[in-house]
Structures are given as C-alpha cells and as structure tokens.
Amino acid sequence: MTPDGLTVLDGGDAPIRALVLDADPARRGDAPPLVQLRDIARPIPPAPGWALIRPTLAGINARDLALLSSDRTLPPMGAPRPLPMVPGSEVVGVVEEVNGTRWAREGQRVLVEPNAGCMIRGFPTCARCAAGEAELCENRDRPSVIGPGADGGLASGGGWSEGVLAHEEMLIPADGISDQRGVLGVSLAAAIHAVLRWNRRGDRVAVIGSGTTTRLVIAALRRLHPDVDITVMVDARGPQRTGRRRRKLPAHLAVDESSVARALECLGAARVWRGSPAQLLDRTAELLGARRMIVAGDDLPVLDRGLDAVIDCRGTAASVALGMRLLRSGATIVVAGRAGRLELDWSALWSRELTIAGSGGFGREPAGWRTFAAVREWLTDASFPADSLVTHRYQLDAFSTAIATAAAGEAVGAVKVVFEAPSAPFRQRRLAVDTELPVDDTAAPMLLAATAARVRRDDEGGG
C-alpha cells in the first residue's frame, strides 16, 4: 500500500521507487525514523506549470542527515511534512511529464531550485516573495492550497526517488552542465549566498569546515574576490573524534589530511590548518601580527587585529565561539552551517560590535540577480573547480551504505554522496508493464549521453 501524504496519487499507473522516511512502529519517543525502499504511485503534476522530474543524480546533504537522525535542534525549512515522506532536495534530472508549462518540455535536462514561494504553492504573494526572497516566504509554514503534491515537491524534499514534482519556475536548463556538476547546484547556490552575506570590508577571511559547502564557499570567495586571503580551519574535533574521546579508525578509513589540504588549496585556500581552538587562535595571531587579548575568567583570548570575516560552515557552538574570537572588532561572522540551539557567551558580540549574518538559503541577491543564474553560469564554465566534489554514487537500493558514507564524510574520503536513478524513462518502463515485455535500456532514448556519469562509465570500460 502506498503511504498517504507522499504525493498526489494515481493508482492506475505503474509505480516508481522511492526512499521513504517513516516512523518505526516498534519504537516510541524520539527514535530515529526508518528509511525503506518502496514502490509508490507516480506523482502527478497537480496544476498548470508543474512538471514531473526524473532525477538522474540526487544528493545527500546535512538537512537530510538531520531528518534521518531525528535531530530536533535542526528544524526543517519549509512547510511541515508529516511522515511518511521522501527526503532529497538536491536534484539534476530530466523532465518526464508536464502540465501546461510555458517552456519546459519532456526530455529536457534541468537543474532544480528548491524554492517554492507563494505563487507556486497557490497563495497570494507575500512581501518576501514579492521581493524575490522565496526562501524567506511568509507562508512557508502553511500547507499548500493546491494540495499535497505542491508540498511534496522539491520545496521540501522528494529527490530520493525515480520521480519528483517541481514547478516550472523552479527549473533551470542544464544544457552544457554535466550531472556531476549539476547535482551541486543547491550547495553552490548556498555557498554564493553565504559569501554575499559578507559586506566586504577587508582582505582576510577564514572558512571553518571541510565538506561540500566549505569547498564551494572557498571557490565562490576566490571567484567573487580574487584578491582575498583565505584560511581554512578544519574543525579541531574532526571525523576521528566522537564526544570527548578520540576514536581510532582502521587504517583504510583514516583521514588523509594532506590530500584534504591539497584539495582545499586547489580550490583557492592559501592555507589549511587543523588544531585545537587555542592553537588556531595562536596561528592566526602570528599570521596577522595580532595581540591576544585575555578576558577575565576566560581560558581563550580574542584577537585585537583579527580577521575581517569568518564563514562558519559547521554551525556548532564550538565553531561559532571560535569564529567570534578570530575576528577583529567590527568584523562579520557568517553562519552558513545549520546551527540549532547553541549555548554561547555573547559578550564579544556587543563589546566588540561584531556582526553575525545567517545564511540559510538563496534566491535573489542584493544586486538583483537570481542566485541560480550565477549557479548556471559558473557550472557551465569548465574552469570553475567543481568536477571532483561528487565522490560517491549509489543506486537507491544501496541506501544504507550511501547514508553511512555521507554521515562519515571526510573519515571515508566522502565529499558529496549522491544517488543514481535508472536512466530508462518512465514511459519506457510503463510500456514494459503494460505489455509484460522487458525493456532494452540500450534502445531507450539516450537523454543522458553527454553526462559525466555516462562518460565515466565509458572511460572505465574502454581503459
């Protein structure tokens, strides 16, 4: 039986497969939900302007992992979606079916911007959507008046499947962009927006983190501010630590710190540091010639001539506290990680007149252009360094390994982990169901012939 609330259902059509997040009936309280691979009814575009997208690659991000772990310190964005649901908001795919679209056509490769504002979800336009800030929509906590199909689209997940709904206004042509670059669109948009949240005053910036967002923030900083000096500070409590104790990993899982540093430097970092907060503060003071200012009752100093900006891609209490200590007076920390309930000493905020800027989405930037317009331009440019960020690909039925790999991250050499969907279009598989004949995938229209996924397989097969 298809779970209620996942999609707008059409019981007369061939099903699709999806990774469904559902409550565990055998457990109570705050137990993490279960993930299962199920057959569900094919989503139907609920109104004119909507399209059914067949994902070719769908990413796993921090929001997805938070949903899987029932992390209540990280409330999801968008309209609340009761279980069962399908996660996944990072998608590059192919238009499979349309309902009254103006330009989107079946067979077209697209990126998807997972912002569904008032117009898309059937509400009168709010002030934020009128300003082009759909990610801040004042109606995002309300179920769509169109129906569950509008809320079940990529505005709040659904990409871990063989079919997901998206409105035409959320689609961007992917001509000239490989799948392995296109699936980074959401992460790149978030990185660009985070960099633009810093109203530049100065030349020295630190980025805290080492994952996908960190790497794209470095690349975005280098592209938008070619002359800026970038220091990357990998979290002192890195992937080999849990809680207060260091856990020794097997040799084949140990972090190759030198390769991580080289990768970050290739993206534009001037230097990559690891260490405790005290060590990172000392190294920054030496680099800048800053004086360490000791506050009574505090174990760690603040820097009197510190950095001009910190972009924190972790969003933990430790990383935010470190970021504020690294800054000069009057500087800015951009919190681009998914921070939740943090217990911090905020005295430095007012005493040193720091600015904290949150960065949780993207839409229209202050200069008036759409963030995804830059995403398309940058990903089309072969010189933009994004080809190495997708490190692991899995079929939907290997979801346990995929999720574990994404959660382990740097400890297993993972940056962006993605799901690969079958390349055969739905219409071919529906024909197979109707006729009870097998479908020869090699005879199906090769809509993805130019994608990186196809090229990689050809290279592997041809030596």
Side-chain angles (χ1 to χ4, degrees):
M1 179 180 294
T2 302
D4 292 336
L6 285 173
T7 57
V8 175
L9 304 180
D10 177 11
D13 209 344
I16 65 170
R17 299 190 309 161
L19 292 175
V20 179
L21 190 64
D22 204 351
D24 185 348
R27 301 184 68 178
R28 296 179 179 179
D30 294 337
L34 292 175
V35 180
Q36 294 179 317
L37 182 61
R38 299 184 191 173
D39 286 342
I40 67 172
R42 182 175 64 90
I44 304 299
W50 284 83
L52 176 63
I53 309 301
R54 173 166 47 88
T56 51
L57 294 181
I60 303 174
N61 61 23
R63 176 184 180 275
D64 300 321
L65 295 176
L67 286 172
L68 298 177
S69 64
S70 290
D71 187 345
R72 299 184 185 279
T73 67
L74 297 175
M77 303 277 291
R81 295 193 60 199
L83 298 179
M85 65 170 290
V86 179
S89 58
E90 300 180 338
V91 168
V92 58
V94 177
V95 177
E96 178 69 21
E97 181 180 339
V98 297
N99 180 352
T101 53
R102 292 178 290 104
W103 62 268
R105 297 292 180 266
E106 294 179 2
Q108 187 171 17
R109 293 183 60 251
V110 291
L111 310 179
V112 186
E113 176 185 351
N115 279 336
C118 291
M119 183 274 291
I120 292 174
R121 298 176 59 236
F123 295 106
T125 303
C126 71
R128 296 277 60 79
C129 287
E133 300 170 340
E135 77 280 10
L136 302 177
C137 175
E138 295 168 1
N139 290 310
R140 59 181 172 171
D141 63 328
R142 299 170 59 189
S144 171
V145 298
I146 295 175
D151 286 331
L154 275 167
S156 55
W160 293 3
S161 67
E162 294 177 339
V164 63
L165 297 174
H167 192 274
E168 185 177 39
E169 294 294 325
M170 301 159 64
L171 303 180
I172 296 92
D175 304 340
I177 301 173
S178 68
D179 287 342
Q180 73 173 14
R181 291 169 74 90
V183 76
L184 300 170
V186 172
S187 295
L188 178 55
I192 293 171
H193 186 71
V195 171
L196 292 174
R197 293 286 284 154
W198 172 41
N199 185 13
R200 181 174 177 179
R201 293 175 57 194
D203 304 314
R204 292 187 179 273
V205 179
V207 183
I208 300 177
S210 63
T212 306
T213 302
T214 298
R215 297 176 191 226
L216 290 170
V217 163
I218 296 166
L221 273 168
R222 183 58 64 220
R223 189 173 181 111
L224 292 169
H225 305 292
D227 60 331
V228 76
D229 181 84
I230 305 171
T231 301
V232 178
M233 299 185 181
V234 179
D235 194 353
R237 287 175 53 185
Q240 289 182 305
R241 293 190 177 187
T242 56
R244 295 178 177 271
R245 303 182 61 184
R246 177 178 289 273
R247 176 171 58 91
K248 185 174 178 58
L249 295 173
H252 70 285
L253 294 182
V255 179
D256 183 353
E257 295 183 0
S258 60
S259 67
V260 172
R262 286 194 300 272
L264 297 171
E265 289 166 354
C266 286
L267 292 169
R271 61 198 66 82
V272 179
W273 293 342
R274 290 179 185 265
S276 68
Q279 291 170 330
L280 295 172
L281 286 163
D282 285 345
R283 297 185 73 173
T284 304
E286 292 169 5
L287 174 70
L288 303 179
R291 184 169 63 89
R292 301 166 181 81
M293 301 171 60
I294 303 298
V295 179
D298 202 341
D299 295 333
L300 295 174
V302 295
L303 304 184
D304 70 334
R305 292 187 301 277
L307 296 165
D308 300 301
V310 170
I311 301 179
D312 180 4
C313 299
R314 292 202 182 274
T316 65
S319 62
V320 174
L322 173 62
M324 290 196 295
R325 295 175 185 278
L326 290 165
L327 293 171
R328 62 168 173 78
S329 296
T332 299
I333 177 171
V334 178
V335 181
R338 287 185 60 82
R341 297 183 180 92
L342 305 181
E343 194 170 318
L344 294 164
D345 178 359
W346 294 107
S347 58
L349 178 68
W350 57 264
S351 65
R352 307 183 68 227
E353 297 191 357
L354 303 178
T355 296
I356 294 186
S359 181
F362 42 82
R364 183 182 297 171
E365 299 302 337
W369 43 269
R370 183 179 178 184
T371 319
F372 252 81
V375 167
R376 189 183 189 287
E377 177 187 340
W378 293 15
L379 292 179
T380 306
D381 181 356
S383 68
F384 183 72
D387 291 309
S388 63
L389 298 189
V390 174
T391 56
H392 295 74
R393 303 182 185 207
Y394 295 94
Q395 298 293 320
L396 290 174
D397 54 10
F399 64 90
S400 295
T401 303
I403 292 168
T405 301
E410 185 184 300
V412 293
V415 182
K416 176 56 68 178
V417 180
V418 301
F419 289 111
E420 287 185 303
S423 60
F426 294 148
R427 63 178 68 89
Q428 292 287 345
R429 282 181 273 150
R430 291 203 299 273
L431 178 63
V433 171
D434 292 340
T435 61
E436 297 184 351
L437 293 175
V439 175
D440 182 2
D441 284 349
T442 60
M446 275 310 301
L447 301 175
L448 309 180
T451 66
R454 177 65 181 237
V455 170
R456 177 176 292 186
R457 292 194 185 93
D458 288 346
D459 289 344
E460 291 172 352

